[in-house]
Amino acid sequence: MRKVSLFTCLLLLASTFSLTQATAASPKSGASCSKVGMTVKAAGVSFTCTKSGKKLMWKKGLVAAPIIAPFKAPIPISLPVAQSTEANGITFANVMDHLGDIPKVAWQRVQDVIASNNPVLVPHDYYVGPTTQINLPGGLARADVVMARDTRLWAGFSQTKYESIFYLNKADEPWAEQKYHEIALARNYAAELTDGFAIGGIRFLCPGAICVGAASGPIVESDDSAGAFGVEDTQHPDTYGGIVGHEYIHTVQAAQWIGNAKCHNQPNGCSRGGLGQQFTRCWLNEGQPQAIGAMVAASDYSTYTLMRSNGKDTRPSQTETDYSEASLKHYLYDQSAPTCYRNGALYQLGYGPGTMAAEALVAIAGPQATMALFALGADGQDFPTAFKNVYGISWSDGASLLAKVLAAEYANCRDNDCKP
């Protein structure tokens, strides 16, 4: 027998190993391989050596689907929100003992958050009609002050990437619609080119002889938003900028869905927001921006009390509630998103009882907790689950307590001929 040196053996083993590695390093489906059952990976794809007839060849495995982490909207506060331990703090347990303190405590909590947060720059442009006279005292400079306070309040939450803001009168309505179409084309709002906000927002303000009120919301299939203000409402002027604060909050509600690829209302495109995704009840959809928008615009409490007394009608003409505790509990708890958005009288109550309910929630847990509801809704939670996770109590218990608060406030106002 011929002797083979140790060096030769090692050389042969190394050559065989190198050959195997070279073969396995870049396998191709259908290429020949050397041993049945042998498995290698290349570029994340598995190849297995299989026998086909008399041939051994590489067979490509299935490509592993990438693992996508669940969507999480950013929330800058810890949940559930801790109950206040301060001597004069308002909690769910003691709120009925502090009814008179709710407005001031809520207003102060908003001021504290604005003061503690860093400024947030949200790009935006104003478009004022060629014959339009802005009816906001202080004009666009005042609008920018309120906008800056609003964006700062919501620091840490998702906010719109860009907003186009229109001021118009009836004569300038066609101009505003055309200008919006130009913006939609320039910013590639494909779903908005035929109508979109030009019809649902701008034209919505001008159904008759004048343009009144305000509208704002997300651009379909975009991270941008748009807002419009009618300037011909002499009975309800935006004296302090509360409407500016209100409308921007609507864009923040919707912004919680930015980055979420899931669209639950496919026939209408991917429309962001609690209304578009049918997450939130009408009382919160309008009550939150109505209450907090005024607190944002009012940098002193006396101004807030003026805005508060002028901003809500305690007894609007409707039959949805008689303002008793049981009726208000039904109003808050039994709303469903699809139906309340179609009921005009029910929706309008968001500016009355809804505003007062939101004010109480701000006094109890701060303004950020109200936006955390929308963030959890964007995560896929339903409203009762989100409420429990934000406030630490069930939505049924929360609605019962809020109904007690509202009923007591309305009773006080009826007895004293006042507005809360």
Side-chain angles (χ1 to χ4, degrees), residues 208-224:
I210 59 175
C211 295
V212 298
S216 62
I219 304 302
V220 175
E221 298 178 359
S222 168
D223 294 344
D224 294 355

Side-chain angles (χ1 to χ4, degrees), residues 308-324:
R308 186 178 186 271
S309 64
N310 293 330
K312 298 185 291 294
D313 182 359
T314 63
R315 284 162 286 185
S317 177
Q318 50 77 41
T319 59
E320 298 297 330
T321 179
D322 61 10
Y323 301 97
S324 66

Side-chain angles (χ1 to χ4, degrees), residues 216-366:
S216 62
I219 304 302
V220 175
E221 298 178 359
S222 168
D223 294 344
D224 294 355
S225 300
F229 298 84
V231 301
E232 296 169 295
D233 189 350
T234 57
Q235 293 184 335
H236 304 93
D238 191 11
T239 306
Y240 303 102
I243 299 176
V244 173
H246 176 119
E247 293 304 326
Y248 182 72
I249 292 174
H250 276 311
T251 75
V252 184
Q253 291 173 339
Q256 303 320 296
W257 275 260
I258 289 178
N260 188 341
K262 293 182 179 179
C263 298
H264 304 296
N265 57 339
Q266 292 289 354
N268 299 319
C270 183
S271 177
R272 290 186 284 106
L275 189 153
Q277 298 297 329
Q278 298 187 348
F279 159 73
T280 186
R281 277 61 172 167
C282 297
W283 70 264
L284 182 64
N285 198 68
E286 290 297 344
Q288 182 213 31
Q290 185 73 358
I292 300 178
M295 298 177 206
V296 167
S299 55
D300 60 83
Y301 182 63
S302 61
T303 299
Y304 176 62
T305 59
L306 287 173
M307 297 174 71
R308 186 178 186 271
S309 64
N310 293 330
K312 298 185 291 294
D313 182 359
T314 63
R315 284 162 286 185
S317 177
Q318 50 77 41
T319 59
E320 298 297 330
T321 179
D322 61 10
Y323 301 97
S324 66
E325 181 181 329
S327 177
L328 288 164
K329 168 68 184 289
H330 172 70
Y331 163 72
L332 292 170
Y333 187 73
D334 293 327
Q335 283 186 24
S336 66
T339 57
C340 72
Y341 292 135
R342 303 187 191 109
N343 184 328
L346 191 67
Y347 190 87
Q348 287 297 314
L349 283 174
Y351 300 98
T355 301
M356 294 163 66
E359 182 185 63
L361 288 176
V362 173
I364 292 169

Side-chain angles (χ1 to χ4, degrees), residues 18-71:
S18 298
L19 253 165
T20 305
Q21 286 295 94
T23 303
S26 55
K28 295 181 181 179
S29 187
S32 61
C33 54
S34 58
K35 184 179 179 181
V36 174
M38 183 179 181
T39 301
V40 296
K41 270 191 176 181
V45 180
S46 295
F47 292 83
T48 302
C49 187
T50 60
K51 188 172 183 180
S52 178
K54 295 183 179 180
K55 294 182 179 179
L56 302 182
M57 60 180 63
W58 290 113
K59 182 178 181 181
K60 185 179 180 181
L62 295 176
V63 179
I67 298 174
I68 301 175
F71 173 78

